[in-house]
Amino acid sequence: MVGLNRRNTSTVWLPSAAVVLQERGSDYIAAIDDAPWSQGHGFHRGFFSSFRIRAGKNVWFHFPLPTPTEANGVQRALDAVMLMWEVMDAAQINWIVLQHGGMERIPLTEIGNEPPFESVPFDPPELWREYYPKAARRLTRIAMEQPLPLRFGLQLSVGIQAADGDGTVRFYGAGAAFSDYS
């Protein structure tokens, strides 16, 4: 795994509310979670941010990652990115890419292929269980083939497709792992 035995490693995580929706409006995003006002915008909750993608649409979501380009006079590098998510109904992750400096696009997955993941179950306390929605959280960790020396800001971009019917995506957060570049 990239990042092992590297110096001065650190990891950051963004909560789900940090996600930025690229395509907006009722042509792309349907109402979700019995909240009519969420049409066109999605629903940011304490648990997750959820979006109902309209059938036949591809929608991009962006996580602006805090990017330490230098620490104590040493250039930093990106070792890995992480995404916690789930999809339901006809939604699927279509593509994950990384933007470095806005113009440099680094594909992290193959177009049309669901990324590898591990399940991250959560069993709420009995006292609060009725307030928690059922969830099937998935954690994707993608290691960079080579550490990416950082000069500019990073953005994790996730394309979601709902081909045959409306589908839901829930984001629980995104993260990145960094180390000294040498």
Side-chain angles (χ1 to χ4, degrees):
M1 174 169 64
V2 174
L4 284 178
N5 301 320
R6 295 191 44 89
R7 293 174 34 136
N8 296 319
T9 61
S10 60
T11 302
V12 297
W13 270 92
L14 290 170
S16 63
V19 69
V20 177
L21 177 62
Q22 181 172 303
E23 291 81 13
R24 299 169 193 259
S26 58
D27 287 347
Y28 291 93
I29 306 296
I32 189 158
D33 295 342
D34 298 321
W37 53 264
S38 67
Q39 181 169 302
H41 308 284
F43 192 165
H44 298 280
R45 321 175 94 169
F47 302 113
F48 47 75
S49 292
S50 57
F51 304 87
R52 185 85 176 154
I53 312 301
R54 297 252 187 220
K57 299 295 183 181
N58 292 299
V59 179
W60 282 97
F61 297 88
H62 306 289
F63 284 93
L65 297 169
T67 309
T69 59
E70 184 179 302
N72 299 319
V74 177
Q75 185 177 18
R76 301 290 281 166
L78 176 70
D79 292 324
V81 295
M82 291 80 68
L83 179 68
M84 192 165 352
W85 58 280
E86 76 178 295
V87 291
M88 293 166 274
D89 307 319
Q92 65 180 26
I93 291 182
N94 190 42
W95 199 17
I96 300 176
V97 300
L98 183 70
Q99 305 286 345
H100 179 230
M103 298 300 285
E104 181 183 1
R105 177 188 287 172
I106 303 166
L108 299 176
T109 63
E110 296 291 324
I111 295 175
N113 292 336
E114 183 175 76
F117 65 87
E118 67 178 84
S119 294
V120 184
F122 177 73
D123 187 23
E126 182 72 35
L127 176 65
W128 302 107
R129 194 162 289 150
E130 68 181 281
Y131 301 106
Y132 282 82
K134 291 195 184 264
R137 298 181 310 167
R138 299 171 177 182
L139 176 63
T140 293
R141 185 185 196 308
I142 301 172
M144 303 302 291
E145 287 185 25
Q146 296 292 322
L148 174 67
L150 297 171
R151 185 172 173 206
F152 307 109
L154 295 171
Q155 177 172 277
L156 184 64
S157 299
V158 183
I160 304 292
Q161 175 182 341
D164 300 330
D166 288 0
T168 298
V169 60
R170 289 179 179 167
F171 291 111
Y172 294 88
F178 304 98
S179 64
D180 286 349
Y181 184 74
S182 53

